[in-house]
Amino acid sequence: IEGKAEPLPSGALRFLNPLLSPADWRPRLSVVSLDIETLPDASRLLSVALVGAGADDVLVVSKEPVAGARCLPDEAALLRALVERLCEVDPDVITGWNVVDFDLRVLQQRATACRVPFTIGRNEERLSFQSDMSFTRQSRVDVPGRQVLDAQGLVRDASISLDDYRLETAAQTLLGRGKRIAKTGGGPGEEILRMYCDEREAFVAYNREDAKLVLDILEQEALLGLAVERSLLSGMQLDRVGASIASFDLLVLPELRRRGRVAPSVDRERKQARVRGGAVLDSTPGLFRNVAVYDFRSLYPSLIRTFQLDPLAHAMADAEPDPIVAPNQARFSRGEAILPDILTRFSETRARARERGDRHADLAIKIMMNALFGVLGAASCRFFDPDVANAITSFGQQTLAWTREAFEAEGVRVLYGDTDSVFVALDPEAAYAEACRSGDALRERIQERITTRVRETYRVEPRLDLELERVYERFFQPRLRGGTQGSKKRYAGWQAGAVRVVGLEAVRRDWAAIARRLQLGLLERVFTDQPALPYVKEIVRQVRDGELDHELVIRKRLRKGSLDRYTERTPPHVEAARKAGAAVGREVRYVITKRGPEPVLYDAALPDDIDREHYLEHVLRPVAEAILADLGESFEEALGNPVQLSLL
């Protein structure tokens, strides 16, 4: 930045019409974690914790001294002290768990009510809240001179899988420790208020630890580093690195300009057109030994690079005598394209990042590359064209079909395939190490077959890279419930002494935890040739005796937002939510009782009339029968019911 500058009272500089030029610079950002505690209805502030960037403070409303805290006489004094302390610490980044939609919104509301200017930026402007105009409607807040990064959003964007996205769950899963609060059965809000009234030192320690947990999660998972890498890659500011369409514009528009071309304007009235998904092959149900999983690395980006699948190439195809014609009949220029060059640059940069062990850059580039197809398939993108989006998926479908044909030409049985992956049966009698070696040799032959076919059919240089992702020692695919056909997108495998589950009840958040216990235990026994039925019988006994009641809680999200929008029928979680009233959030926790669905608040006691037979029939039975059927056994035996023998 070059030009005339005037100093501000904060010490910052204001440049007037400066000259801006590019710089190669990697920021080292100071971060403070903020966490507030309030009355249960957020109508009054009790305390604020600031941890990081040299701060380790808890400001608490208290007329008596509290060890480890700075005591203020009232809310207004607390808010003034917070503004002063934040300006002293002067962080580049403010973070917290749900910090935008809760902490900062409540602080602004209370500051307005107390008539305290809530100016926590690097000038005297106030906070400005907004939502990105995307399907996520992610909330953001502008704090002049600083960035606010919601830690909960950073965890979600990094695709870190958790049972739910409460701070307690994230901390226990990622750090092995959680909040400093007793589980009294009365709910966390009541316990926090009790600590504030009766154990103020414990209350202060609780507030400080919540702020520290957030910082520790960000550090352990390197989430701030990932956000910085994505910002450097896309040109987006830190709190908008997830805005894929805007990132796409920043990548493509300058390239168009260099070529003397103009992009179309955004059409906000355009309707979403149908974009076909990836191919899914029929699955073969049953139990298998030595199953190899082959995967095309970054399939859609590789197809874009191979076949010039690009909006500009599509627009210029008619000017060429010999364009590339996709399976959906969309045509693409062989010479005019932008995306393939961008992806080639990304791919080379990612390879260098992997070589130097830079996982931040590796993951940032992977996220960006994989987002490009989604952007092209979104009507809100200025470059949206269903012909282009469907050309990508149609090439993907064709590639999967060609891969299956290549395996079958080698005499190998294909058990399943989905979008970019193929599951094949290797020799079941071979030792596992030998199966891995034969699987790798098979990969080379299949890669050569596909490469040759692409070259001969389209006269292009293939960028497709087939990998041997893993070889399962044992593998299971269930049948459709009540049928004989194999189920899709649902399977389990055994590798290196561990069960890996995809799509089954054990990894679904809307099934009770008891389903996970039963399914994983059953699979482990089946994969290691242990008796399965005794285990099922023991789980049935524990459920009937009430020993596993805490695992019967079901969690389900309210997809329609307001409960009033559920008019045609009332699902169980909606009925439970209506009973809970204002205490429930977007995710409803409930159990089935003899009176019907009943809500269960976090850390609250369970109802005493749980309908355990309902869980046996509607939760355990379908999970158990999907596996027992392949063993020639029955869930009826586990229930202790007589089983009719078939007559020969």
Side-chain angles (χ1 to χ4, degrees), residues 34-36 45-50 57-59 78 82 107 207:
L34 180 149
D35 183 79
I36 70 172
L45 276 173
L46 303 179
S47 67
V48 182
L50 293 175
D57 306 75
V58 178
L59 312 176
L78 183 149
L82 172 62
L107 285 170
N207 191 187

Side-chain angles (χ1 to χ4, degrees), residues 132 305 324 367 370 381 384 480 493 496 505 572 632 640:
D132 277 344
R305 294 175 64 198
I324 298 171
I367 293 171
N370 289 336
C381 174
F384 171 70
L480 289 172
E505 291 79 3

Side-chain angles (χ1 to χ4, degrees), residues 216-229:
D216 290 348
I217 289 171
L218 295 188
E219 181 177 356
Q220 174 160 308
E221 300 301 317
L223 296 178
L224 182 59
L226 176 60
V228 169
E229 287 294 342

Side-chain angles (χ1 to χ4, degrees), residues 431-450:
Y432 180 69
E434 176 57 32
C436 292
R437 285 192 293 270
S438 67
D440 195 47
L442 178 61
R443 184 208 67 80
E444 293 183 11
R445 298 197 300 273
I446 299 302
Q447 174 85 56
E448 182 58 33
R449 283 179 178 271
I450 295 169

Side-chain angles (χ1 to χ4, degrees), residues 31-36 49-51 93-104 147-155 167 210-215 217-218:
V31 184
V32 69
S33 175
L34 180 149
D35 183 79
I36 70 172
L50 293 175
V51 177
V93 174
I94 298 173
T95 190
W97 203 261
N98 199 24
V99 68
V100 176
D101 282 334
F102 181 69
D103 300 78
L104 289 177
Q147 289 278 271
V148 178
L149 301 181
D150 195 315
Q152 185 184 60
L154 293 177
V155 169
L167 177 57
D210 271 13
K212 191 171 188 310
L213 286 172
V214 170
L215 276 189
I217 289 171
L218 295 188

Side-chain angles (χ1 to χ4, degrees), residues 19 104 204 256 387 434 513 640:
L19 175 65
L104 289 177
V204 165
L256 278 174
D387 285 345
E434 176 57 32

